[in-house]
Amino acid sequence: MSHNPMVTNGTGLSPVLQGEVNDAKKVKLDGGPNPPSRVVHIRSLPHEVAETDIVQLGMPFGKMTNVLVLKQKNQAFLEFQDESAAVNMVSYYSTNPAQVRLKPCYVQFSNHKELKTDASHSFQAALQAAQVVQGGPGGEDPQQNTILRVIVDNVGYPVTLDVLHQLFSRYGKVLKIITFTKNNTFQALIQFSDTISATTAKVSLDSQNIYNGCNTLKIDYSKLTNLNVKYNNDKSRDFTRPDLPSGDPTLDQAMQMGGMGGGMPMGGFGMGNPGAFGATATRMGMQMPQQAGSSVILVSNLDEEKVTPDALFTLFGVYGDVHRVKILFNKKDNALIQMADPHQAQLAITFLDKVRVWGKNIRVAQSRHAIVQMPKEGQPQDAGLTKDFVNSPLHRFKRPGSKNCQNIFPPSAVLHLSNIPPSVTEEQLETWFTDYGTVKGFKFFQKDRKMALIQMNAVDEAIHALIGMHNTQLGENSHLRVSFSKSTI
């Protein structure tokens, strides 16, 4: 903005707008929203934000007339031709939080009715750049659609349908997903409930990596107008039709074994056989990342009073086989967890980072440690904070290709119970689970009374119940198995 004749204080802002920037913090505190205006104020932006990013945020909503980015303040202003377009934008992002370069930001009305800056040249350049990204003239994409076609390049970690659902759901309601392999490349079709969600997801995620340095998303609009999903399984899902059959799993598995393709989404992140994935990738001439990452993860913001090695073993064991757990002696709200391989470590990060456990949102990230050291003989100060689980009989993924590899879901309020002895009643199970929260629903499987679904009032209650109830002895040879479910009761 340095060519702007209005620069008065190094920001390219008129004094009035400068006041608004200073007021932004107050707005955050008092929550008093401004009345509708055709100027939208966006804050908490990433440091590397560009005008094109802001224009892309506004493109789905209507014709824009000006943009102003204040990098040093991490804020921006976007002016629309009509107030109704601004109203739609603010309303949409109030329920679907906006993201710029994968960083959440806040969208609100400005207390100005217009942008008094002569930035037409800058705005036109940003608009043209955004249109190139969107792939259509004048911001109107000829193929704009609710269905996105997603190609995953440079695959370092296998991609599952659930990971895609978790990622794309941030931008709106995902109705259906179909995954497949074409030309030795993992692809997916993702159908949203509306075009704005699809456009926002495309703009936000295109060319981004799912994981650090690999799994790059290439996204464009599909020519299809509706996805026809016949089966709900690891390859395809219709989230509006939970009643669909799962198809023939043996046939699915056979198809997935041919080529890289589906074998990875279903086969479970190299579980049990970490070498197999590398071999597949090499055979396809794909570049494997030099370092697939560490098997050790760092978990922080834990409740010091409640955390134990066994509790972490049980929770993280849902996403892979936990070999060792070390709660840090001088900082007991932190723990190091060593998984069986880097893929399982990445799974745990994907599904458990920012999840609420014992009343706090835990953070899960890759550790720079390669292994978790056991305390040396005769070190008394460890006080049971480090535990080795390598030979535990409770690992869920010991057997390569075990069904558990296919049933990995994000934490949910509904838990899947199995291994229930015939003597145990619904009332007994509900009573036990009530120790961890409110039980909202329960049902035994019709065909197999050894299994049941139980619904807790909230996801964190289900997490506490899983930690507390998994592997509880219910009969002479029966230990209850608890996992997260994608089903509803």
Side-chain angles (χ1 to χ4, degrees), residues 3 13 30 56 58 71 74 161 197 206 228 244 274-275 293 303 324 334 345 365 369 372 380 387 394 396 402 408 432:
H3 61 278
L13 275 187
D30 65 23
Q56 282 176 11
K71 283 196 182 186
N74 303 104
L161 186 146
S197 299
D206 187 31
N228 181 18
L244 287 177
D303 183 321
R324 286 177 179 174
N334 280 252
H369 295 281
V372 169
K387 200 161 172 184
L394 303 178
R396 295 178 187 241
S402 99
I408 293 177
W432 293 327

Side-chain angles (χ1 to χ4, degrees), residues 50-91:
E51 285 158 343
T52 310
D53 296 318
I54 302 304
V55 170
Q56 282 176 11
L57 270 190
M59 277 181 95
F61 303 97
K63 185 161 186 194
M64 298 159 287
T65 45
N66 208 344
V67 67
L68 182 62
V69 172
L70 313 172
K71 283 196 182 186
Q72 62 273 56
K73 300 278 186 188
N74 303 104
Q75 300 187 23
F77 296 89
L78 185 62
E79 180 186 80
F80 284 93
Q81 187 168 316
D82 300 310
E83 191 179 283
S84 60
V87 169
N88 287 342
M89 178 172 175
V90 172
S91 151

Side-chain angles (χ1 to χ4, degrees), residues 77-123:
F77 296 89
L78 185 62
E79 180 186 80
F80 284 93
Q81 187 168 316
D82 300 310
E83 191 179 283
S84 60
V87 169
N88 287 342
M89 178 172 175
V90 172
S91 151
Y92 177 77
Y93 287 126
S94 67
T95 53
N96 302 282
Q99 286 198 334
V100 170
R101 301 187 183 223
L102 295 183
K103 181 183 189 296
C105 50
Y106 301 95
V107 176
Q108 64 197 43
F109 292 114
S110 165
N111 51 29
H112 293 276
K113 295 299 175 195
E114 61 180 354
L115 275 184
K116 297 190 176 77
T117 62
D118 176 24
S120 54
H121 168 75
S122 177
F123 170 67

Side-chain angles (χ1 to χ4, degrees), residues 366-386:
Q366 199 147 46
S367 165
R368 51 176 206 278
H369 295 281
I371 58 165
V372 169
Q373 296 280 1
M374 293 302 291
K376 295 193 170 55
E377 288 297 317
Q379 273 189 327
Q381 90 275 17
D382 185 62
L385 295 176
T386 306

Side-chain angles (χ1 to χ4, degrees), residues 123-144:
F123 170 67
Q124 288 306 326
L127 183 61
Q128 279 176 342
Q131 285 164 1
V132 169
V133 173
Q134 292 277 52
E140 295 297 320
D141 193 297
Q143 299 183 57
Q144 200 173 46

Side-chain angles (χ1 to χ4, degrees), residues 40-55:
V40 172
H41 181 198
I42 303 140
R43 52 198 175 81
S44 290
L45 289 162
H47 195 59
E48 67 277 15
V49 65
E51 285 158 343
T52 310
D53 296 318
I54 302 304
V55 170

Side-chain angles (χ1 to χ4, degrees), residues 177-309:
I177 300 180
I178 295 175
T179 65
F180 56 97
T181 303
K182 192 173 175 185
N183 305 332
N184 278 346
T185 309
F186 179 82
Q187 302 194 22
L189 292 166
I190 300 178
Q191 183 168 351
F192 280 90
S193 59
D194 58 279
T195 54
I196 289 176
S197 299
T199 302
T200 312
K202 177 183 183 298
V203 167
S204 305
L205 292 175
D206 187 31
S207 303
Q208 299 286 346
N209 293 334
I210 301 180
Y211 304 122
N212 284 346
C214 63
N215 290 47
T216 310
L217 297 167
K218 300 282 175 61
I219 306 173
D220 55 23
Y221 294 107
S222 164
K223 293 189 174 71
L224 299 171
T225 51
N226 184 44
L227 294 182
N228 181 18
V229 175
K230 293 181 182 154
Y231 303 114
N232 282 344
N233 55 30
D234 297 295
K235 309 273 284 181
S236 62
R237 210 164 296 159
D238 183 337
F239 296 92
T240 66
R241 294 273 316 274
D243 56 311
L244 287 177
S246 62
D248 181 350
T250 50
L251 184 67
D252 273 0
Q253 219 154 5
M255 284 169 65
Q256 286 166 335
M257 287 312 171
M260 149 189 168
M264 288 201 282
M266 191 162 175
F269 288 66
M271 283 177 187
N273 186 3
F277 172 61
T280 313
T282 317
R283 191 174 67 240
M284 288 169 41
M286 223 166 53
Q287 284 300 110
M288 283 290 283
Q290 289 305 301
Q291 173 53 31
S294 167
S295 301
V296 181
I297 47 184
L298 172 67
V299 187
S300 52
N301 206 31
L302 291 158
D303 183 321
E304 294 185 24
E305 302 298 317
K306 297 195 172 150
V307 66
T308 63

